Amino acid sequence: SVRIPIMNGPMAGAAGGDLAAAVCRGGGLGFIAAGHARSVELIDKQVSIFREKTADISPKPPLCLGFITYSSYPDGQMRKVLEKHRPEIVQFCAPSVMAHDGEGNGPSNVEVARRLGAKYIFAQVGNLQDAKDAFAAGCDVILTQGREAGGHGLRSEVGAGTLPLAAAVLRLRETSAHKPLVLAAGGICDGRGLAAMLTLGCDGAVMGTRLYVTKESMGPEANKAALVKADIDDVIRTPVFDQLQNTYLDTPWPYPFDSVGALHNGTSRRWHDDLKELLRNIEGEGARYKAAAADINVGAVLSGEGVGEIREVEEAAAVLARVEREAAEVLRASQRLLA
């Protein structure tokens, strides 16, 4: 049922049933963010919306859920969601493979998902070692998320760029008996980006920021408006926001995943180059941040570096139709160069 080799990133707070259904109706693969899986009731609601809004599609689109592993696997929340909804496709990140339950016991998250009916496991990786771990675990699809991506990913010093990471994983596939699909992620917001990744040898791409800025996304409208106005020079990958949020979140992000691609704002400008000073005053600064985090000049507005290609808030189907058209035009033009 997938016509366009695009999936939406399972973005917490944005990728719900409406967006996943709209992506499916537009010809892509739609994911719902299960995230930390702290609210099973919220996931239940989004799954119901997805099923209702795709009930008339034939063949039936698969239910796809994306989990943040470090928080959802060890305490059993991931298992509860999988047992209840039995998604056909499951995506894992941070990390993509956790070899035990957090205490050195039991099967990996990948093994548990397969036992509970997942037909395909998608693994989001940020460097080559992550990819090797996902290959070893037998994951079916590798999402190569580069530093250019919005939202959480590896810190810059241990991550890699989208294109070289995708190329390295494709090279790994060439020499491996295991042949997973490879989807590129990070900075891809239009058909030219999709065409570039297909030409490289990838099987498709992941779109996060571009599909965040759609009518079906659950993201705050103020954030969407800020992203429409932004350009590539407005984006930074920084650990600042996580250092502040970790003072009060019940699922603090661990190193090296405590880093986000976001719009450069007052908070990141103040602290990005002075992390030691921030850590010396972290409790007080964390409290101040929490109180004002809804302000887009204070809180994190997650963004990838492709944000400058976004002109307006549109329906997801319109975005996918244009991406399909643009990619086809670029690929046809490339063929003419070889004639």
Side-chain angles (χ1 to χ4, degrees):
S1 62
V2 177
R3 189 183 75 253
I4 308 169
I6 289 286
M7 62 169 274
N8 68 284
M11 303 163 286
D18 282 317
L19 180 58
V23 170
C24 289
R25 300 191 78 86
L29 186 63
F31 268 80
I32 294 172
H36 301 291
R38 281 297 169 272
S39 174
V40 176
E41 293 77 15
L42 177 59
I43 297 169
D44 292 347
K45 178 181 178 181
Q46 298 309 319
V47 170
S48 294
I49 291 171
F50 173 79
R51 295 198 188 283
E52 177 185 348
K53 295 198 171 183
T54 58
D56 62 333
I57 300 178
S58 181
K60 182 181 177 181
L63 175 63
C64 306
L65 299 181
F67 290 89
I68 298 168
T69 313
Y70 80 85
S71 56
S72 67
Y73 179 47
D75 67 359
Q77 288 297 105
M78 179 200 84
R79 181 187 288 271
K80 290 180 184 178
V81 175
L82 293 179
E83 287 176 340
K84 184 168 188 177
H85 294 294
R86 303 284 173 163
E88 293 93 332
I89 299 177
V90 175
Q91 185 245 17
F92 292 115
C93 70
S96 59
V97 180
M98 182 174 278
H100 49 70
D101 66 357
E103 297 180 357
N105 305 303
S108 74
N109 57 312
V110 174
E111 293 173 283
V112 169
R114 290 208 189 279
R115 290 177 187 176
L116 293 175
K119 296 178 181 178
Y120 301 100
I121 305 296
F122 286 37
Q124 179 180 300
V125 305
N127 59 28
L128 187 56
Q129 184 57 56
D130 281 356
K132 290 178 179 178
D133 293 341
F135 269 68
C139 296
D140 304 288
V141 180
I142 310 298
L143 313 178
T144 59
Q145 188 199 52
R147 295 189 192 99
E148 300 94 320
H152 281 95
L154 293 181
R155 286 201 183 199
S156 294
E157 64 268 24
V158 293
T162 300
L163 193 151
L165 178 58
V169 173
L170 289 168
R171 185 178 69 248
L172 178 64
R173 185 173 69 177
E174 289 175 2
T175 59
S176 173
H178 182 51
K179 304 293 184 184
L181 297 180
V182 177
L183 307 186
I188 301 167
C189 280
D190 60 15
R192 296 172 302 166
L194 172 60
M197 293 302 106
L198 293 174
T199 302
L200 183 67
C202 293
D203 301 288
V206 183
M207 284 190 171
T209 305
R210 174 57 276 196
L211 290 170
Y212 183 104
V213 188
T214 56
K215 294 180 180 179
E216 295 88 353
S217 161
M218 298 189 299
E221 294 305 315
N223 290 21
K224 295 179 188 180
L227 292 167
V228 169
K229 295 177 182 178
D231 213 328
I232 184 172
D233 290 346
D234 300 315
V235 179
I236 186 172
R237 176 155 289 279
T238 181
V240 164
F241 296 108
D242 279 307
Q243 294 301 315
L244 291 162
Q245 293 171 358
N246 280 354
T247 62
Y248 58 86
L249 291 178
D250 62 357
T251 53
W253 284 82
Y255 180 88
F257 307 108
D258 55 344
S259 164
V260 295
L263 297 185
H264 209 11
N265 65 8
T267 299
S268 55
R269 287 189 173 89
R270 170 64 184 88
W271 297 115
H272 181 71
D273 294 320
D274 200 4
L275 279 175
K276 289 184 179 179
E277 181 65 19
L278 172 60
L279 293 176
R280 278 194 289 268
N281 299 279
I282 193 63
E283 294 303 323
E285 293 300 331
R288 279 188 282 274
Y289 178 86
K290 181 180 180 181
D295 182 342
I296 63 171
N297 194 48
V298 176
V301 178
L302 304 182
S303 175
E305 292 184 6
V307 68
E309 307 308 316
I310 301 174
R311 302 287 182 264
E312 60 181 314
V313 181
E314 302 174 85
E315 293 183 350
V319 172
L320 291 175
R322 185 172 59 256
V323 167
E324 182 180 26
R325 184 175 64 253
E326 290 172 347
E329 290 172 354
V330 171
L331 293 171
R332 282 194 293 266
S334 299
Q335 289 176 340
R336 287 197 293 271
L337 295 174
L338 301 176

